[in-house]
Amino acid sequence: MSGYLDYLSEKYQTQNIKAINEKIVELSSLFEISQILNASLEITHVLNNILLIPMGRLMISRGIVFLRNGKWYHPRFWKGLPDGIADKEFSEKQLPSEFFVLEKDSRASGNLNPFYEFVSENQLSLAIPLKSKDQLLGLVIYGPKLNRQPFSNDEIDFLTSLVNLSASTVENALHVDEIRKINQQLDERIQQLKTLFDIAQGLSATLDSEKIVKLLTYALMGQMLVYHYAIVIHGNQHLPKMDVKGFVQDSIESLSEELSRLSDIETAALTVDLPHPALKEKLLKLGAHVFIPMRHQNKMLGFILLGEKISKQKFTAVDLEFLTTLVSQAVISLENARLFKEMLEKQRYEQELQVAKTIQKKLLPREIPQVKGYDLWGVNISSKEVGGDYFDVIPISEHEFALAIGDVSGKSVPAALLMANLQAGLRTIISEAVPLEQIVGKLNRLIYQNTDMDKYITFFVGVLDNKKNRLSYVNAGHNPPILMRKNGEKQLLDVGGIILGMLPEFPYQLGVVEFDSIDLLVCYTDGVNEALNTEEEEYGEERLENLISSNRHLDASELSDTIVSELREFSRDVPQFDDITLLITRRL
């Protein structure tokens, strides 16, 4: 009996020693594996060892590691599984929080959530949570053994221990990977900032819009490595400026108006992310991967479309930020170029106006001719640099003088040119031995033949005979001059016809008045009677007639100053919107 007990004791000791030795081997193996895992903090190297070491030792057919990325868990590394699983993602609630064996877990058979459907479809067997400090980092899932034998308890313990040992290493590797990505992004941003600085220097060095667009094109192709692009910039013309390469230009033109109305897109955006389904589909069909608005002070100046990168890589968030900054800088340079061009055009226009103003002043009488027995005075005050009012005193013979005043429709240079034509025509034909009404008819034909329908002239001309003290006149649609008699009675000189330039043939009528002693004639343009005050009230003919009547004792120049002063007092802070011209004649 005692011999049998000794046999059992010896056998039990042998088994314990064998089990202890196996544990020691397992612990030594795990220690070696731990050293291998910790030999590198490169996440791919760590995950590769987590799968390959047990797959080699236990002859496991396949495996996969899911890791947390934000709120979701995505496949990070796998062996023996198709690449199509890369797009899979699961929430933490869908994943098991404890170790489980697929064929033994009751939840797997019911396919209660997509995760169990996934492990079943891919013939996976063991799932072991990857935890660190009670936080679920991910999940390690192994497939079955090649010999189709179930996992023993020792094998399960080994795999569980391996995954648990790996948790802290995986966490550290993830931190290192995140730091590496951050450093890479910083390097990219630094490089992009250097590039933007260089490009900005190039853009700011020129005010030529064509060169700016070329620099922008080179930057897009060089930095983003794209071959297909479209730059569309809206100008003052009906058709926008386009620089298109690789895309069908007709397609870009057909989408131009629709894309220019995308007021809700303020930065560079992927085409697939545009919140406009129909437009997104058109752009994707066209091959446009990125849409970049060209905005300045909430105004859409144009847009840019980019095709696929030559490298086939996707556009990243860093790329979109770079593109937004680059295009914003280019837009500022384009606006500066436009403003500079406008400034040059304005300066050139002002120079032309100054030349026209000088010429116009020379067309007006430098000195009023002295007419025996009469006091004459004329004044012209333009509302712009160059105006359309005109007056003249032209000696015809020893005792005959032409008195003329006119108002050309419009303002500025066109009005001044038409006024110059009138003055030249009048001075050419006034000395002809032709009745005055026929002279005005000739002027009418001349203006009609050389102007458009929207250009016309109100005109008054009279021939003063200081020997007979008689004024023969024709009023072609002008404000009737006021003849104020010495007794206070007034007469309006309105005989004549229509304004010049309306009809090619019109029979003008001749009017005749006699000048008595101290009679006063005031000719004026509508800048006088239509002057406005702050209440938008016109000065009017009645006020003008009363002013002339009460000041008819003044000489011509004094009366002119009085009228101008009264108009300025009446208008006060209201800017002068029309030329003021006066031609005053008094018989002494």
Side-chain angles (χ1 to χ4, degrees):
M1 185 67 178
S2 61
Y4 179 70
L5 291 173
D6 291 340
Y7 167 75
L8 291 176
S9 175
E10 183 178 351
K11 182 178 181 181
Y12 179 74
Q13 288 178 355
T14 301
Q15 290 176 344
N16 284 343
I17 291 171
K18 183 179 179 181
I20 291 171
N21 288 335
E22 289 177 353
K23 288 293 182 182
I24 291 173
V25 171
E26 182 180 338
L27 289 173
S28 298
S29 178
L30 288 173
F31 179 74
E32 291 175 4
I33 292 171
S34 177
Q35 286 182 316
I36 294 172
L37 290 172
N38 289 299
S40 172
L41 287 178
E42 205 282 315
I43 186 65
T44 303
H45 174 81
V46 174
L47 298 180
N48 185 58
N49 285 323
I50 292 175
L51 292 183
L52 287 183
I53 290 173
M55 287 175 70
R57 293 198 176 193
L58 302 181
M59 302 300 290
I60 296 174
S61 60
R62 59 184 64 89
I64 185 171
V65 180
F66 281 84
L67 292 180
R68 184 178 64 229
N69 185 5
K71 295 181 178 180
W72 296 88
Y73 291 80
H74 299 267
R76 186 65 181 266
F77 197 83
W78 58 89
K79 293 287 185 181
L81 292 172
D83 291 337
I85 65 173
D87 295 331
K88 290 289 184 181
E89 61 179 14
F90 301 106
S91 67
E92 186 170 350
K93 291 182 179 180
Q94 293 173 321
L95 299 179
S97 58
E98 301 295 338
F99 164 83
F100 86 100
V101 181
L102 179 63
E103 59 268 19
K104 296 181 180 179
D105 194 284
S106 61
R107 294 170 297 181
S109 60
N111 291 330
L112 297 178
N113 70 48
F115 171 74
Y116 292 101
E117 183 180 349
F118 169 78
V119 294
S120 178
E121 287 177 353
N122 290 279
Q123 301 179 8
L124 298 171
S125 299
L126 297 177
I128 306 171
L130 189 63
K131 290 185 176 181
S132 177
K133 301 174 185 177
D134 295 327
Q135 295 292 322
L136 185 63
L137 299 178
L139 197 68
V140 182
I141 311 175
Y142 296 103
K145 293 192 291 186
L146 293 174
N147 59 13
R148 298 298 177 183
Q149 295 296 315
F151 288 96
S152 67
N153 290 334
D154 289 341
E155 289 171 340
I156 292 173
D157 288 342
F158 170 75
L159 292 173
T160 304
S161 299
L162 171 63
V163 172
N164 290 337
L165 280 173
S166 306
S168 60
T169 304
V170 170
E171 186 176 27
N172 291 335
L174 287 173
H175 289 321
V176 171
D177 190 56
E178 185 66 24
I179 292 171
R180 186 181 293 112
K181 287 181 179 178
I182 292 173
N183 287 335
Q184 184 179 356
Q185 289 177 356
L186 286 174
D187 290 340
E188 289 177 1
R189 288 177 182 272
I190 290 171
Q191 183 59 41
Q192 286 182 352
L193 286 173
K194 290 180 179 178
T195 303
L196 284 172
F197 179 75
D198 293 339
I199 295 172
Q201 283 187 315
L203 292 173
S204 60
T206 180
L207 289 170
D208 185 337
S209 58
E210 299 295 333
K211 289 183 179 179
I212 292 171
V213 172
K214 282 186 178 180
L215 287 172
L216 177 59
T217 302
Y218 295 152
L220 292 173
M221 296 179 67
Q223 293 300 312
M224 294 294 107
L225 299 177
V226 295
Y227 183 76
H228 295 63
Y229 67 86
I231 302 175
V232 180
I233 302 173
H234 298 287
N236 296 327
Q237 299 83 7
H238 294 293
L239 295 176
K241 294 181 179 179
M242 291 190 180
D243 184 7
V244 180
K245 186 174 183 180
F247 292 122
V248 179
Q249 184 158 336
D250 290 344
S251 300
I252 301 295
E253 290 177 355
S254 65
L255 292 172
S256 176
E257 185 176 350
E258 192 173 358
L259 289 170
S260 298
R261 293 198 301 266
L262 292 181
S263 58
D264 55 340
I265 309 298
E266 296 185 355
T267 59
L270 296 175
T271 303
V272 295
D273 294 334
L274 292 177
H276 305 277
L279 183 58
K280 176 171 68 175
E281 184 178 351
K282 293 177 185 177
L283 290 175
L284 290 175
K285 186 177 180 181
L286 184 66
H289 285 235
V290 176
F291 169 79
I292 313 167
M294 302 181 73
R295 304 177 68 86
H296 182 71
Q297 296 180 350
N298 296 323
K299 182 181 178 182
M300 193 77 160
L301 302 182
F303 60 87
I304 296 174
L305 296 176
L306 298 182
E308 186 181 27
K309 288 185 179 181
I310 298 174
S311 62
K312 305 297 182 181
Q313 293 180 346
K314 294 182 178 180
F315 288 91
T316 65
V318 176
D319 290 337
L320 297 179
E321 185 177 349
F322 172 80
L323 289 170
T324 299
T325 306
L326 170 65
V327 173
S328 296
Q329 182 64 46
V331 167
I332 292 172
S333 297
L334 286 171
E335 277 297 286
N336 289 340
R338 182 185 65 81
L339 292 173
F340 180 72
K341 184 178 180 181
E342 287 183 356
M343 183 187 69
L344 291 180
E345 290 177 352
K346 184 179 178 182
Q347 288 178 348
R348 184 168 60 250
Y349 179 68
E350 289 175 348
Q351 290 172 353
E352 291 174 354
L353 284 180
Q354 191 61 39
V355 172
K357 182 178 181 179
T358 302
I359 294 172
Q360 186 184 33
K361 281 186 176 180
K362 291 182 178 180
L363 293 176
L364 297 173
R366 295 183 183 181
E367 295 181 358
I368 303 297
Q370 298 299 313
V371 179
K372 185 177 180 181
Y374 287 83
D375 177 19
L376 274 69
W377 186 257
V379 65
N380 170 258
I381 304 172
S382 296
S383 60
K384 305 291 183 183
E385 289 85 350
V386 180
D389 278 11
Y390 161 70
F391 80 92
D392 208 348
V393 179
I394 308 170
I396 301 174
S397 66
E398 184 179 350
H399 57 84
E400 287 183 316
F401 300 84
L403 310 177
I405 189 169
D407 187 358
V408 179
S409 63
K411 302 281 190 300
S412 197
V413 175
L417 292 175
L418 189 52
M419 183 266 275
N421 282 335
L422 174 65
Q423 189 250 24
L426 178 62
R427 284 182 170 264
T428 300
I429 62 180
I430 191 66
S431 59
E432 296 178 2
V434 177
L436 184 60
E437 62 270 27
Q438 293 182 22
I439 289 176
V440 174
K442 286 186 177 181
L443 288 174
N444 176 56
R445 285 191 294 275
L446 175 68
I447 299 302
Y448 180 86
Q449 293 167 0
N450 292 281
T451 60
D452 297 326
M453 287 296 294
D454 61 337
K455 297 297 180 185
Y456 53 86
I457 303 173
T458 67
F459 182 62
F460 175 89
V461 61
V463 175
L464 174 63
D465 186 333
N466 67 341
K467 186 175 181 181
K468 299 178 180 179
N469 294 313
R470 177 183 298 166
L471 179 71
S472 303
Y473 72 89
V474 174
N475 188 333
H478 193 74
N479 301 82
I482 302 169
L483 178 59
M484 191 69 64
R485 302 294 185 178
K486 63 181 179 180
N487 60 2
E489 293 181 0
K490 73 175 188 303
Q491 181 180 350
L492 301 180
L493 307 190
D494 55 5
V495 177
I498 63 173
I499 56 181
L500 302 182
M502 292 297 291
L503 296 174
E505 300 294 336
F506 186 85
Y508 287 91
Q509 303 298 317
L510 183 69
V512 180
V513 292
E514 304 291 335
F515 266 104
D516 292 331
S517 178
I518 317 180
D519 282 350
L520 177 68
L521 177 64
V522 178
C523 303
Y524 63 95
T525 58
D526 56 11
V528 176
N529 60 298
E530 293 180 1
L532 297 175
N533 61 13
T534 54
E535 297 178 358
E536 296 188 0
E537 179 186 8
E538 289 187 353
Y539 187 75
E541 291 84 357
E542 185 177 353
R543 280 194 180 91
L544 178 60
E545 291 170 4
N546 293 335
L547 178 65
I548 295 171
S549 178
S550 59
N551 292 277
R552 62 181 183 275
H553 59 282
L554 299 176
D555 60 33
S557 63
E558 290 175 338
L559 180 58
S560 173
D561 292 340
T562 300
I563 294 173
V564 172
S565 178
E566 175 69 16
L567 290 175
R568 287 174 176 167
E569 179 64 23
F570 176 79
S571 298
R572 299 240 175 141
D573 298 329
V574 178
Q576 180 185 342
F577 74 94
D578 201 359
D579 303 342
I580 294 174
T581 303
L582 293 165
L583 179 58
I584 300 174
T585 306
R586 172 193 292 282
R587 181 181 172 188
L588 300 175

